[in-house]
């Protein structure tokens, strides 16, 4: 905990400090649906943390999400390739507080962020946060679908992000 606090407050730690700070901004931007900020941070992290030889690889984009959402580990149990609905979701963030936002992230290479959101909806990944029939949901916060796309043929290395609220807070 002390190290975690120090990393967030100590600029002399260089890239670790910047990455931690940016990952906090990424989480806040995601919850606010600020896709412009999300895209900027994602591109920054991807450009500073990925070797060019594997930059456009889907597995590399998956690993970049860990860096982009580094600070989320303080608030979420993060699972990768988790069974949800009728498939496997790339990332699912289970909040430690039941009233916090739950986050589902689907990544797409050479597709759009809309395609990623569509997959989250069609494969019913949000069912992981709903209670069983007749029970109240375990998580009462919003459920956010996050689509992140990257076009590996684009020489400008542009990313695209989209956030959609699948469920509002349960009262």
């Amino acid at each position: 905990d002390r190290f975690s606090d120090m990393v967030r407050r100590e600029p002399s730690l260089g890239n670790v400090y910047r990455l931690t700070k940016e990952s906090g901004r990424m989480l806040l931007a995601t919850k606010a649906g600020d896709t412009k900020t999300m895209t900027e941070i994602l591109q920054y992290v991807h450009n500073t943390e990925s070797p060019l030889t594997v930059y456009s690889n889907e597995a590399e984009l998956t690993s970049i999400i860990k860096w982009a959402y580094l600070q989320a580990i303080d608030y979420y149990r993060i699972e990768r390739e988790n069974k949800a609905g009728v498939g496997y979701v790339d990332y699912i963030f289970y909040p430690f507080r039941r009233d916090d936002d739950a986050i589902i992230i689907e990544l797409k290479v050479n597709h759009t962020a809309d395609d990623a959101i569509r997959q989250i909806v069609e494969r019913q990944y949000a069912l992981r946060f709903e209670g069983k029939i007749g029970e109240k949901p375990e998580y009462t916060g919003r459920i956010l679908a996050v689509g992140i796309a990257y076009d590996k043929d684009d020489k400008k290395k542009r990313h695209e992000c989209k956030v959609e609220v699948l469920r509002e807070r349960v009262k």
Side-chain angles (χ1 to χ4, degrees):
D1 289 340
R2 283 181 149 168
F3 178 74
S4 179
D5 289 341
M6 183 180 65
V7 164
R8 273 190 229 122
R9 286 186 269 122
E10 186 53 52
S12 68
L13 290 171
N15 203 35
V16 173
Y17 170 80
R18 280 189 304 281
L19 219 62
T20 303
K21 193 171 177 140
E22 290 301 295
S23 71
R25 283 186 56 227
M26 183 70 162
L27 186 57
L28 289 174
T30 300
K31 289 180 173 191
D34 180 357
T35 57
K36 181 178 184 279
T37 298
M38 289 172 65
T39 302
E40 288 170 3
I41 293 169
L42 191 61
Q43 285 182 180
Y44 167 77
V45 174
H46 205 169
N47 288 338
T48 58
E49 299 301 319
S50 289
L52 283 176
T53 55
V54 292
Y55 187 95
S56 295
N57 183 310
E58 187 167 348
E60 184 63 17
L61 182 58
T62 300
S63 72
I64 288 306
I65 295 304
K66 288 181 184 179
W67 291 111
Y69 286 97
L70 181 65
Q71 204 173 88
I73 62 174
D74 290 341
Y75 308 100
Y76 293 90
R77 176 174 55 89
I78 301 171
E79 300 288 334
R80 189 169 165 253
E81 295 297 329
N82 201 320
K83 170 81 175 87
V86 292
Y88 290 89
V89 61
D90 286 327
Y91 277 97
I92 194 161
F93 290 33
Y94 297 94
F96 293 143
R97 287 187 16 235
R98 64 186 307 266
D99 63 337
D100 200 356
D101 294 334
I103 301 172
I104 300 167
I105 299 176
E106 186 63 32
L107 307 172
K108 291 290 180 194
V109 173
N110 286 347
H111 290 276
T112 67
D114 282 326
D115 292 338
I117 297 286
R118 191 173 310 108
Q119 180 174 326
I120 291 170
V121 171
E122 287 175 359
R123 294 191 183 171
Q124 303 173 16
Y125 294 156
L127 288 176
R128 292 297 284 164
F129 297 108
E130 301 295 342
K132 296 189 190 261
I133 294 175
E135 293 179 2
K136 286 187 175 182
E138 182 179 348
Y139 299 98
T140 59
R142 296 181 308 165
I143 299 174
L144 304 179
V146 178
I148 296 176
Y150 171 70
D151 182 353
K152 68 181 182 180
D153 297 326
D154 183 353
K155 301 281 188 247
K156 294 181 180 170
K157 300 180 182 176
R158 281 186 288 216
H159 299 74
E160 178 189 17
C161 299
K162 182 173 183 176
V163 178
E164 197 170 290
V165 178
L166 297 180
R167 182 191 78 195
E168 293 292 342
R169 295 195 184 290
V170 175
K171 295 179 173 128

